[in-house]
Amino acid sequence: MIPLLLIFVLMFVLKNPVLLPFANPDQSTSISLGFILVFAYLLGSHLKRLSLPLITGFILAGILCGPDVLKFITPSDVQDLDLLDGLALSLIALTAGGEMNIQRLKGRFKTVSSIVFFQTVVVLLGFVLLGFFGRSFVSFLEEGTLFQVLAFSLLLGTLSTPTSPATTIAIITETKASGKYTDLVLGSAVVKDFFVILIFAFSLSISKSVTMSSHEFDLSFLLQILEEVGGSVFLGLLIGGGIILYLKYIKRDVTVFILSVAFFSYQISHNYGYHPLLICLVAGFLAENFSAQGKLLIAAIEKSSVPIYVVFFALSGASLNLGALRQTWHLALICVVWRGVLKFAGTFFGARITKEEAGVQKWAWTGFISQAGVALGMAIVVEQNFPEWGGEFMALVLAIIAINQIIGPIFLQRLLFKVKEAGKKQ
Amino acid sequence: MRAIYAFGLLILIAFLGARFITKRKAFSPVNYFFSSGLIYIFLGLSLGRSGFNILSPSVLTGLTPLISLGLGWVGFLFGFQLEAKYLRRFPRKYKSLSFVQFLFVFLLCGLIFSLVLKQIYPSERTFLLYGMGLAFGLLLSINSPTLLNMASSVIPEKGNYYYLARFLVSVSGFWGIVGLALLSCFWHYPIFESKIFLRGSLLLLFSSGFPLLIGYLFHFLTKKKVSGEQMLVYFLGFVFFVSGTSFYFNLLPLYMSVVMGITYSNLTRIHEKLYPLLLSTEKPLYIIFLILIGALWEVYFDYRLALLVILMILLRFLGYLLPMPLFKVILDFPLRLPTRFGFSFLSSGGIGLAFAVSLKLAFPLPLTDVFLSAALSGILITEFISPWGVRISIFKLDEEERK
């Protein structure tokens, strides 16, 4: 506890306004990064003693030191660290893709598809129902037309569907889990992330058409999304091929190479509108399944996985919008609970149809609570496309993500311990 | 499309490196240039604004933490080697020689550079030019142990000259970095208008005290049983924190990290636990650092720049070759110190590069752009000829001594 307090006090003194005349606030990125690395890790380690996941500590540290609370990490720091955050996300996605071993997943493919299908349908329908029956509790929906309610709830349902692959892989890595539940949760999270982008394109096009006076179905966005997804998959295949060749013939400076792959993916997705997560998922998947050197890739990333997770999750904590949570916490809480119920129902039906064991039917849903990344990006698109209620929608989604990102890792960790898969990885 | 070109270029360089370079074990200038990673500076150059502009100034701003990490890491590693127990093993005369050598090179080069700079930049403020002259002097007084580490594998029987040179190059950086720390505290940017001594002293106190405290905290956290991943997080976190603090207060990241490295090295008993970590992170971090240095480098040609580069190379030779016999007499040194022993000190390696970048970042002035360009050019040229220097000095002297 003493080091945690000491580092906290040191940062408090260094960032004290009294010292501001001697400081160069434009150069605060590295000090913030260094502080958060140590502070978040120490906090995570303390929480681990209370049987909570490390990444919950990282996220809480980010929230505590972020722009909404102590302001040790300023909004400009978060912005400046966007590149490192993107690098971390790419590396995490490479690991997640690399964990998707076809041989291992072959027997589980039916269950994964069934869970993904039922979760998606149940969550979408459930949120549409919630929108219609609960509209009187939401001021801006109460005044809206039925079509607007449909658009709002359909999009909210779409954004509630995905599970964060980054959080999932981080918990799996931390608990060193391996087995049926691990494969099901990770497999479903990755597959869902892929499909939810397409579903979002449909939902957005439908929402736009029902809210427009002409009721025309706008295909342009759908086509744009298809192009982005197709382009990302193609790039992922290209990069995956490059990784295979590199690991086979060169093998030199693998860490530097992997970092440059992550940087390249981030740059290209940033500049041309592709999805870094999809690119790296596909690349990692290809390297793992179509070359004998896939293990080398994962080993190179896992060697430095902890600092990557600290940076990524602490920054995601610092980016969580507590203002939005304060505004809409009651509504957000209802949505979180409802999402949990729907996740349970979707997983239950999905597992039951494929005759999975009772444990999967009853408990696997707890692995699907975390939510971030892709949902956040989609919320921004919704805000831009529906200026009348996009702001309220964005605030609600941010609040839901904030809650799910805190409780999601805890649920997943508990699941992996409960089913005794934690610590099973060789 | 530029990103794709850069990606291709990286693979190509790695491929060439893997295929042709690592198979050559000879201790040659070309081999040293590749195997020490200096070639990555050119990769950075091609990715920076002078090339494909992938690592554009805005991207480099986003990558500032990596530059900070690179500087902090080089400094920490350097400081970590300065363990009192290790230094005590060397005779006092070795330490005296190290200091006298530093003083001679610093004063000679600092003086000449100050005079030359005053002549070629007459419109610049005098105290800035003198500051830069002294910085050149300090830079030239620094040597890198990397070259001799590499040479050790090709020297069949290492003699007194090898160990003496090894000691001198390991310690020389310390004097230079302390000198630069003094310079950056009292010539602090933005320039103090009043109470220069008081403010400079306070900054020096903070520059030394803060990393000392962090070094102790690092030791405190790692003195009990610590896993590899914990070590990595603490190491990266503290290096970022110290280096970031120096950036935040416009102090010298290299000096502060060296102090942290010295503190930790002299407190901890688990050197053997940190060394594998440092070694495993050494190459990737160093390569990334070199790439970023290359990207920071703005290439241009100017007769004044050319003059500074030529002067750097010339003074590097003169500063180390000329005084050797004199040192023998002054210090009554137990070993013969022929002029050619000075050829062992041509390389300033990673620590020299970090020094130049550190100065540029602590003093964001147009004049320090000149310093960085001259320093990088000068260092790269002397690095290229330094294996030859070691060959005609240490190799021969040890062989003669054996006979």
Side-chain angles (χ1 to χ4, degrees):
Chain A
M1 201 64 173
I2 295 169
L4 186 76
L5 289 174
L6 185 62
I7 192 104
F8 181 83
V9 171
L10 275 176
M11 190 62 174
F12 187 77
V13 172
L14 292 174
K15 286 270 179 156
N16 199 292
V18 178
L19 290 178
L20 212 58
F22 302 95
N24 184 357
D26 294 340
Q27 291 282 7
S28 67
T29 320
S30 299
I31 187 174
S32 303
L33 182 63
F35 165 75
I36 203 68
L37 258 171
V38 179
F39 183 76
Y41 187 76
L42 288 172
L43 187 66
S45 307
H46 282 287
L47 290 184
K48 201 175 177 181
R49 285 180 212 152
L50 305 172
S51 304
L52 289 171
L54 270 175
I55 70 161
T56 303
F58 305 161
I59 295 170
L60 287 178
I63 294 174
L64 185 70
C65 303
D68 281 332
V69 187
L70 290 167
K71 299 181 175 57
F72 288 167
I73 304 173
T74 62
S76 74
D77 288 338
V78 175
Q79 209 178 342
D80 287 345
L81 289 169
D82 182 53
L83 182 59
L84 282 189
D85 192 37
L87 281 181
L89 176 69
S90 302
L91 291 171
I92 293 169
L94 273 173
T95 319
E99 288 288 341
M100 303 280 290
N101 186 290
I102 293 178
Q103 288 302 320
R104 223 177 49 232
L105 287 172
K106 214 191 299 181
R108 321 209 197 280
F109 187 72
K110 225 165 86 178
T111 315
V112 168
S113 335
S114 175
I115 287 177
V116 169
F117 175 76
F118 278 97
Q119 264 193 24
T120 309
V121 172
V122 171
V123 171
L124 279 175
L125 287 176
F127 270 92
V128 171
L129 286 176
L130 181 71
F132 279 105
F133 289 109
R135 60 184 295 205
S136 52
F137 297 104
V138 189
S139 57
F140 59 90
L141 282 186
E142 204 177 2
E143 294 151 14
T145 62
L146 268 182
F147 285 125
Q148 277 179 335
V149 175
L150 174 68
F152 184 91
S153 43
L154 187 66
L155 288 167
L156 191 59
T158 310
L159 267 65
S160 300
T161 309
T163 302
S164 163
T167 307
T168 309
I169 192 71
I171 292 290
I172 290 172
T173 310
E174 185 193 326
T175 54
K176 298 185 172 59
S178 179
K180 183 196 233 172
Y181 286 81
T182 310
D183 290 342
L184 285 182
V185 173
L186 182 64
S188 306
V190 169
V191 173
K192 235 177 349 176
D193 215 66
F194 184 80
F195 282 110
V196 87
I197 297 172
L198 297 175
I199 295 167
F200 176 68
F202 275 109
S203 303
L204 195 78
S205 302
I206 292 169
S207 301
K208 274 172 95 174
S209 79
V210 295
T211 48
M212 275 192 303
S213 50
S214 57
H215 293 292
E216 274 175 21
F217 190 78
D218 181 14
L219 266 176
S220 60
F221 188 72
L222 185 63
L223 291 175
Q224 187 195 328
I225 290 277
L226 281 175
E227 191 190 318
E228 283 172 13
V229 171
S232 304
V233 171
F234 176 71
L235 273 169
L237 291 173
L238 210 65
I239 293 175
I243 292 175
I244 292 174
L245 290 176
Y246 190 93
L247 294 177
K248 188 168 181 189
Y249 294 108
I250 302 176
K251 278 189 204 163
R252 195 171 178 242
D253 302 330
V254 174
T255 313
V256 180
F257 177 72
I258 300 296
L259 277 174
S260 46
V261 166
F263 174 73
F264 169 77
S265 310
Y266 170 82
Q267 271 288 88
I268 206 152
S269 51
H270 199 260
N271 293 344
Y272 303 102
Y274 294 117
H275 299 268
L277 193 83
L278 278 189
I279 297 176
C280 291
L281 275 173
V282 173
F285 177 78
L286 197 72
E288 165 67 18
N289 291 290
F290 299 96
S291 89
Q293 284 78 25
K295 296 279 174 289
L296 258 177
L297 170 81
I298 304 300
I301 304 173
E302 280 191 346
K303 247 192 332 195
S304 47
S305 64
V306 179
I308 293 170
Y309 292 140
V310 180
V311 171
F312 181 76
F313 289 104
L315 285 179
S316 76
S319 316
L320 290 180
N321 192 329
L322 297 191
L325 186 60
R326 267 194 294 271
Q327 266 175 31
T328 59
W329 68 269
H330 42 290
L331 192 58
L333 208 59
I334 293 171
C335 290
V336 168
V337 173
W338 185 235
R339 181 175 177 262
V341 171
L342 297 172
K343 287 269 174 187
F344 167 72
T347 314
F348 178 80
F349 289 128
R352 197 175 181 92
I353 286 209
T354 51
K355 296 189 178 68
E356 271 297 340
E357 61 184 73
V360 176
Q361 295 175 27
K362 258 202 238 168
W363 299 112
W365 67 277
T366 53
F368 299 106
I369 301 298
S370 64
Q371 179 196 14
V374 70
L376 203 65
M378 289 172 184
I380 295 168
V381 178
V382 173
E383 190 190 22
Q384 288 162 352
N385 278 276
F386 300 94
E388 330 70 270
W389 46 264
E392 283 91 346
F393 181 87
M394 178 81 172
L396 179 62
V397 171
L398 289 178
I400 297 172
I401 290 175
I403 300 171
N404 282 329
Q405 250 331 67
I406 294 169
I407 60 168
I410 303 172
F411 273 82
L412 177 56
Q413 186 218 38
R414 292 287 148 92
L415 171 72
L416 296 175
F417 277 110
K418 186 179 168 61
V419 299
K420 296 189 174 60
E421 288 190 2
K424 285 277 170 66
K425 193 171 183 183
Q426 295 299 313
Chain B
M1 290 311 278
R2 283 175 169 173
I4 296 171
Y5 291 139
F7 190 60
L9 194 68
L10 182 70
I11 293 184
L12 186 71
I13 288 198
F15 181 75
L16 289 174
R19 285 276 139 168
F20 304 112
I21 309 308
T22 49
K23 286 181 181 168
R24 297 174 57 169
K25 293 287 176 203
F27 187 65
S28 70
V30 177
N31 192 35
Y32 172 63
F33 211 67
F34 278 90
S35 51
S36 65
L38 290 168
I39 189 73
Y40 285 98
I41 291 183
F42 292 103
L43 177 64
L45 198 62
S46 65
L47 294 177
R49 58 183 152 180
S50 307
F52 292 116
N53 205 26
I54 308 288
L55 295 175
S56 61
S58 64
V59 173
L60 282 175
T61 309
L63 291 173
T64 307
L66 290 183
I67 299 172
S68 158
L69 175 67
L71 286 173
W73 179 84
V74 169
F76 182 89
L77 189 65
F78 184 80
F80 192 67
Q81 291 165 13
L82 298 178
E83 197 191 352
K85 208 167 65 185
Y86 164 76
L87 294 176
R88 269 199 295 269
R89 288 205 305 237
F90 292 93
R92 187 173 287 177
K93 293 236 160 133
Y94 277 37
K95 289 161 202 163
S96 307
L97 176 61
S98 156
F99 184 68
V100 175
Q101 190 184 41
F102 154 75
L103 211 61
F104 181 84
V105 176
F106 166 61
L107 290 177
L108 174 80
C109 302
L111 191 72
I112 294 176
F113 264 105
S114 296
L115 294 174
V116 171
L117 284 166
K118 187 87 185 74
Q119 291 301 314
I120 59 175
Y121 292 100
S123 56
E124 288 285 349
R125 285 181 288 179
T126 311
F127 78 98
L128 281 181
L129 291 172
Y130 286 161
M132 198 162 114
L134 294 180
F136 268 113
L138 291 167
L139 173 64
L140 285 166
S141 71
I142 285 178
N143 307 115
S144 158
T146 314
L147 178 69
L148 291 183
N149 286 344
M150 282 184 169
S152 77
S153 60
V154 281
I155 300 176
E157 275 180 77
K158 294 174 203 73
N160 284 327
Y161 286 100
Y162 174 81
Y163 289 110
L164 173 62
R166 181 79 180 71
F167 172 80
L168 292 175
V169 296
S170 301
V171 178
S172 68
F174 177 74
W175 306 116
I177 291 165
V178 171
L180 190 63
L182 288 168
L183 197 72
S184 72
C185 287
F186 292 97
W187 254 280
H188 185 261
Y189 180 85
I191 310 296
F192 295 139
E193 299 294 333
S194 60
K195 295 180 184 166
I196 296 173
F197 185 74
L198 177 71
R199 291 180 180 197
S201 304
L202 281 174
L203 285 182
L204 190 63
L205 194 70
F206 177 75
S207 302
S208 312
F210 182 76
L212 209 89
L213 183 64
I214 297 294
Y216 177 75
L217 187 60
F218 187 17
H219 161 66
F220 183 81
L221 282 167
T222 54
K223 70 178 177 184
K224 287 181 194 155
K225 201 179 163 197
V226 65
S227 68
E229 71 176 31
Q230 280 175 317
M231 199 74 175
L232 181 65
V233 174
Y234 294 143
F235 170 67
L236 288 177
F238 285 127
V239 166
F240 265 127
F241 195 41
V242 166
S243 183
T245 304
S246 58
F247 271 93
Y248 190 60
F249 291 106
N250 250 346
L251 296 167
L252 203 70
L254 200 57
Y255 171 71
M256 290 178 70
S257 314
V258 166
V259 175
M260 180 171 75
I262 295 173
T263 311
Y264 186 72
S265 180
N266 285 285
L267 287 173
T268 190
R269 285 180 188 169
I270 53 163
H271 292 82
E272 74 291 344
K273 193 137 195 177
L274 191 59
Y275 267 121
L277 176 72
L278 289 174
L279 290 176
S280 68
T281 49
E282 182 179 18
K283 216 168 175 194
L285 281 181
Y286 189 51
I287 290 174
I288 291 166
F289 181 58
L290 292 175
I291 291 174
L292 293 177
I293 289 178
L296 275 174
W297 188 3
E298 203 178 349
V299 178
Y300 69 97
F301 187 78
D302 178 284
Y303 82 93
R304 292 176 296 190
L305 183 71
L307 184 67
L308 291 175
V309 175
I310 293 168
L311 199 61
M312 257 189 88
I313 299 164
L314 207 66
L315 285 176
R316 183 131 216 139
F317 277 94
L318 292 178
Y320 285 99
L321 291 169
L322 284 182
M324 280 298 167
L326 189 71
F327 293 157
K328 159 85 184 155
V329 178
I330 295 172
L331 299 171
D332 188 23
F333 205 75
L335 273 177
R336 195 166 57 91
L337 291 177
T339 308
R340 68 189 150 124
F341 183 53
F343 282 118
S344 323
F345 307 102
L346 297 181
S347 164
S348 53
I351 193 84
L353 294 168
F355 183 100
V357 174
S358 216
L359 186 95
K360 163 71 206 143
L361 295 173
F363 293 89
L365 296 167
L367 206 56
T368 48
D369 278 333
V370 178
F371 177 85
L372 184 68
S373 291
L376 291 182
S377 312
I379 288 173
L380 285 176
I381 295 170
T382 44
E383 285 307 303
F384 193 71
I385 46 182
S386 57
W388 164 81
V390 169
R391 200 175 271 282
I392 63 163
S393 58
I394 298 175
F395 281 36
K396 292 264 166 68
L397 287 167
D398 273 341
E399 202 180 309
E400 281 168 22
E401 203 193 19
R402 270 198 304 278
K403 281 176 188 168

